[in-house]
Amino acid sequence: MEQHTAYFRVTNVNKQYRRKDDPVLRNINLEAERGQCIGILGANGCGKSTLLSILAGALTADSGTMGIGDKTYSLHHTTTIPDMGYIPQENPLIDELSALDNLKLWYCNSKLDLSEELNSGVLAMLGIPAFLSTPVNQMSGGMKKRLSIGCSVANAPQILLMDEPGAALDLQCKELISSYIKNCLSEEKIVLLATHEEREIALCNTIFILKNGSLTPFDYNGNMKKLAEML
């Protein structure tokens, strides 16, 4: 019988910073199918951001590979993956430019039409048309986060890496981002979500805890106290 291969695969990822004795990531493995949300949970500084940065191609791993469909990429080299969208904790925006000008930079070579996305697409869903003329340095944290997401999905990625998307945002913005994630999953996209937010954890099909460099599956049943004890 032919063995099934998951659409998204991360295999044997290792990372150690020279200034540290212990590796930050040890033999990290995970798989995901289309329409699946994977939660990566752990204490601050445990390596969640490092893992997502490696998968996004912003950092190199000491070893490891990532598979998407029938393609496999070495994570020992920085590589731009066309199917990947990365939303880091720090926004990738130019402070002096307006929301619209930032979008124009990201969408200039996109297969998506910027006007259509603002009218009825993902940018409209994120509420970005309400502050198109606002410079980034005058935006609230929620505006910046929504704009960061809008920029990061300019190439219609099938896999989204989201690092603490709802952190330090008001309830309305948290709900908007949760709705966006739900929409992505309904479109059969894959979301890898590093989070501490209960409403975001509830969106995950599978949860892993990253602790002491290792990734361990966790069967979450809504008991936040038990989850907190495991971190």
Side-chain angles (χ1 to χ4, degrees):
M1 182 181 294
E2 185 177 351
Q3 186 175 0
H4 172 73
T5 302
Y7 180 76
F8 179 68
R9 309 168 303 280
V10 176
T11 306
N12 295 331
V13 175
N14 291 274
K15 178 69 175 179
Q16 181 170 6
Y17 293 112
R18 291 183 179 179
R19 65 181 183 273
K20 292 186 176 182
D21 294 331
D22 296 325
V24 64
L25 300 174
R26 307 170 186 258
N27 296 321
I28 300 297
N29 295 276
L30 63 85
E31 295 183 344
E33 299 290 0
R34 290 180 179 274
Q36 190 171 5
C37 184
I38 304 290
I40 308 293
L41 281 59
N44 291 335
C46 72
K48 301 187 300 295
S49 295
T50 297
L51 175 59
L52 294 191
S53 294
I54 288 171
L55 299 182
L59 284 178
T60 58
D62 297 332
S63 62
T65 62
M66 177 173 64
I68 301 176
D70 59 357
K71 296 181 179 180
T72 301
Y73 304 89
S74 170
L75 296 174
H76 189 52
H77 308 281
T78 54
T79 306
T80 300
I81 311 297
D83 282 340
M84 193 78 69
Y86 177 41
I87 298 93
Q89 288 188 47
E90 300 298 326
N91 75 70
L93 309 171
I94 299 176
D95 282 349
E96 295 77 16
L97 297 183
S98 68
L100 180 58
D101 287 337
N102 271 277
L103 288 169
K104 286 179 178 178
L105 290 174
W106 286 81
Y107 282 77
C108 61
N109 295 314
S110 172
K111 54 189 175 184
L112 300 177
D113 182 87
L114 178 56
S115 295
E116 290 183 6
E117 294 304 309
L118 286 168
N119 182 55
S120 59
V122 62
L123 302 181
M125 182 188 309
L126 290 167
I128 293 173
F131 54 92
L132 276 181
S133 61
T134 305
V136 170
N137 56 21
Q138 296 180 22
M139 291 181 186
S140 68
M143 290 176 178
K144 290 178 183 179
K145 181 60 69 175
R146 287 184 279 159
L147 182 58
S148 296
I149 294 173
C151 290
S152 299
V153 298
N155 289 316
Q158 296 303 300
I159 300 168
L160 290 177
L161 310 174
M162 306 184 79
D163 194 353
E164 307 271 1
L169 302 182
D170 61 36
L171 289 176
Q172 184 178 16
C173 194
K174 290 178 191 287
E175 180 57 36
L176 194 153
I177 291 174
S178 293
S179 296
Y180 170 70
I181 294 172
K182 291 176 185 176
N183 185 73
C184 289
L185 300 178
S186 72
E187 294 178 347
E188 294 295 292
K189 295 179 180 180
I190 293 171
V191 178
L192 264 68
L193 187 61
T195 183
H196 293 113
E197 296 281 338
E198 187 171 0
R199 82 171 58 219
E200 292 172 358
I201 294 171
L203 298 174
C204 300
N205 310 105
T206 302
I207 288 175
F208 291 91
I209 291 178
L210 184 56
K211 188 174 183 179
N212 298 325
S214 298
L215 201 62
T216 304
F218 179 76
D219 185 14
Y220 176 66
N221 61 2
N223 188 333
M224 286 296 292
K225 181 178 180 180
K226 180 181 177 181
L227 175 58
E229 290 172 352
M230 296 294 296
L231 301 183

